[in-house]
Amino acid sequence: MSFRLDRRHFLGLAGAGTAAAALAACGGPDTSGTAATTAAADIDFSGVKPAAMFDFWSSHPGKSEDVEKQLISKFEAANPNIKVNLVTAGANYEETAQKLQAALAANTGLPAVSVLSDVWWFRFFINDSIISLDSLNKQLGVNVGDYRDSLVQDYQYNSKQWAMPYARSTPLFYYNKDHFKAAGLPDRAPTTWTEFAEWAPKLKALGAAQNAFQYGPLAGYAGWTMQNNLWGWGSGWSKGWDITCDSDDAVAAMQWIQDSVYKDKWAGVSSKDQGADFAAGIASTTINSTGGLVGILKDSKFNVGVGFLPGGPKASKPVVPTGGAGLAISAGVTKEQQLAAAMFIKFVGEPENAALFSSATGYMPVRKSADMTAVLAKTPQIQTAIDQLAVTKVQDNARVFLPGADQEMGKAVAKIVTQQGDVKATLADLKKTLTGIYEKDVKPKLKA
């Protein structure tokens, strides 16, 4: 498959059999037309008054329920005629998206504003289920240019804004400073995985932790975080639309991961939450979202260090994927609710409130002008997350644009890491599966 398409100009798919949206003439190919082609027209909100109440659906990313309630209280104090009803819509982004899909199918109970991950919002755009925020942002005086470029651009298509950054993250390398000191290791994250492979036996020999490193639950983390390993070894799940998960470099990366568990025996796999395992002292190091930073610091009884993700033998940077979620407004609610929701999104994104949310969770401050002085004085590790933005890389098409691919990646990695399956054969099977998804659900909807 030699077809190429810049991910900025591809809208993703709502699922198997869902038609793709039409693309503007911007150097890339077009898709067959759908309702999404008509969604670009801005809604006229002149003369509209905000609703007295609206629902805000969230999965409380980064254990953020308390700070969300705090932000809602501040918003309601500033806007006494508007009440925000916070709804726990799921335990994670996927459950929230599934609940929203169910509400859309039933055509009832839609939220005005919902937390949608940087992967899921594309699918709701395709269904014409969320609105462009441009006219609302203009009417409310939102300074979109003050949002961090790489974060706000993740929700832009055809020069329009479809969501605003909220709980945005990258993976971080977490390490137990006390274990590193006892093992005679430098007080920093490893530069490469090759370097860490030299350190890991020393950490394991300490006997202070069960594992030198803990991989995250594969169903939820493999497709996302292991892009770091694949990129570092010179490959990826895909390059453009070429599925490359079975390349020699990809096989080498996954073989190294399997060896760390079975052959070298210094790594383990978390059954639920690698951040919690790390904080409990089960592992000396792990990779976890920046959104878990504050919780890990709070729960750990030792000195916690954080650093950039390690590079690999072929690429030192960029090897860091972005992640997290934004806030989108439903198309199926009243204009009054949409306006009130937009006022809330603006409020949450104000520099002071962006800093507050970052301080409470560890997610990156989404505004350039957010004063992080007090936050960094209290939690200096957040600066590392901010600095790492400079070496982030757009995620592989195969993960974010092929419906169901993330789950298939998790299954394949689980077979390799928990069942000691043959690496080359497993990745070859994964390529067949991903290619099948592409050929059936994507390629027919694309034309040069």
Side-chain angles (χ1 to χ4, degrees):
M1 294 179 292
S2 60
F3 182 83
R4 290 290 188 274
L5 178 64
D6 187 330
R7 69 161 290 176
R8 293 293 184 196
H9 302 129
F10 181 73
L11 297 180
L13 300 172
T18 302
L23 292 171
C26 53
D30 290 334
T31 65
S32 55
T34 71
T37 61
T38 65
D42 287 334
I43 301 172
D44 183 5
F45 285 90
S46 59
V48 176
K49 293 184 179 180
M53 184 180 74
F54 68 89
D55 288 348
F56 167 35
W57 282 14
S58 178
S59 58
H60 318 306
K63 300 179 180 179
S64 58
E65 184 172 6
D66 288 344
V67 72
E68 285 178 335
K69 290 179 178 178
Q70 185 179 352
L71 289 169
I72 288 171
S73 294
K74 289 180 63 179
F75 174 79
E76 292 177 342
N79 300 274
N81 295 324
I82 304 176
K83 178 176 174 57
V84 182
N85 181 33
L86 177 62
V87 177
T88 300
N92 51 46
Y93 297 141
E94 287 69 30
E95 290 185 7
T96 300
Q98 290 162 7
K99 182 179 175 70
L100 184 56
Q101 286 179 317
L104 286 165
N107 195 29
T108 184
L110 285 173
V113 61
S114 181
V115 170
L116 292 178
S117 79
D118 55 346
V119 173
W120 277 98
W121 79 265
F122 290 105
R123 307 183 186 201
F124 290 100
F125 171 87
I126 292 299
N127 286 338
D128 202 10
S129 299
I130 58 175
I131 65 170
S132 164
L133 302 182
D134 297 276
S135 62
L136 284 164
N137 283 343
K138 183 177 180 180
Q139 178 174 323
L140 298 175
V142 176
N143 185 3
V144 177
D146 187 48
Y147 279 79
R148 294 183 184 274
D149 297 339
S150 64
L151 304 184
V152 74
Q153 289 169 3
D154 278 341
Y155 307 101
Q156 292 175 355
Y157 169 69
N158 199 21
S159 301
K160 291 188 178 298
Q161 194 75 42
W162 298 96
M164 297 300 287
Y166 179 56
R168 297 306 312 276
S169 64
T170 64
L172 279 177
F173 188 92
Y174 291 76
Y175 65 98
N176 185 317
K177 285 174 169 272
D178 298 344
H179 290 181
F180 271 45
K181 183 176 181 180
L185 299 175
D187 184 8
R188 61 171 175 83
T191 303
T192 65
W193 285 112
T194 301
E195 182 177 47
F196 185 72
E198 298 171 355
W199 294 0
K202 298 178 182 179
L203 292 168
K204 183 73 174 180
L206 280 179
Q210 181 178 332
N211 299 311
F213 181 82
Q214 193 84 328
Y215 294 105
L218 301 178
Y221 273 82
W224 183 43
T225 62
M226 288 185 182
Q227 288 173 114
N228 159 256
N229 300 89
L230 293 170
W231 294 343
W233 264 259
S235 186
W237 297 119
S238 63
K239 291 186 177 181
W241 288 114
D242 287 338
I243 307 300
T244 57
C245 64
D246 69 335
S247 70
D248 290 344
D249 289 331
V251 170
M254 286 299 170
Q255 186 64 61
W256 184 90
I257 289 172
Q258 185 185 74
D259 288 347
S260 71
V261 176
Y262 289 101
K263 179 182 176 183
D264 302 320
K265 300 183 185 300
W266 48 256
V269 181
S270 177
S271 61
K272 186 177 181 180
D273 183 345
Q274 78 276 26
D277 294 347
F278 172 74
I282 294 173
S284 297
T285 65
T286 194
I287 285 177
N288 199 54
S289 168
T290 54
L293 175 58
V294 172
I296 288 176
L297 292 174
K298 179 180 179 181
D299 295 340
S300 300
K301 306 300 182 185
F302 52 85
N303 294 312
V304 176
V306 295
F308 288 13
L309 296 195
K314 291 193 174 182
S316 59
K317 62 181 181 180
V319 289
V320 183
T322 56
L327 297 177
I329 295 178
S330 295
V333 299
T334 67
K335 284 186 178 181
E336 289 77 10
Q337 288 178 310
Q338 290 170 345
L339 177 57
M343 292 169 62
F344 178 68
I345 292 175
K346 176 188 178 182
F347 184 85
V348 168
E350 293 290 356
E352 177 184 348
N353 295 323
L356 175 64
F357 189 81
S358 179
S359 174
T361 61
Y363 282 106
M364 290 175 287
V366 298
R367 294 290 288 266
K368 298 173 185 175
S369 62
D371 184 357
M372 299 294 290
T373 305
V375 176
L376 293 173
K378 179 181 178 182
T379 313
Q381 294 91 338
I382 291 177
Q383 185 64 55
T384 300
I386 297 172
D387 293 343
Q388 194 177 223
L389 277 173
V391 292
T392 55
K393 180 180 177 180
V394 173
Q395 294 190 60
D396 293 335
N397 283 11
R399 178 175 186 254
V400 296
F401 293 141
L402 300 185
D406 196 31
Q407 292 89 335
E408 296 298 333
M409 292 167 184
K411 291 177 186 177
V413 176
K415 186 174 182 179
I416 291 169
V417 178
T418 65
Q419 302 171 35
Q420 205 172 1
D422 182 87
V423 175
K424 188 171 184 178
T426 301
L427 292 179
D429 288 343
L430 177 61
K431 180 175 182 177
K432 291 179 183 178
T433 300
L434 299 182
T435 300
I437 295 172
Y438 172 83
E439 296 288 345
K440 178 184 177 181
D441 301 323
V442 179
K443 188 177 180 180
K445 302 173 181 67
L446 300 175
K447 60 183 180 179

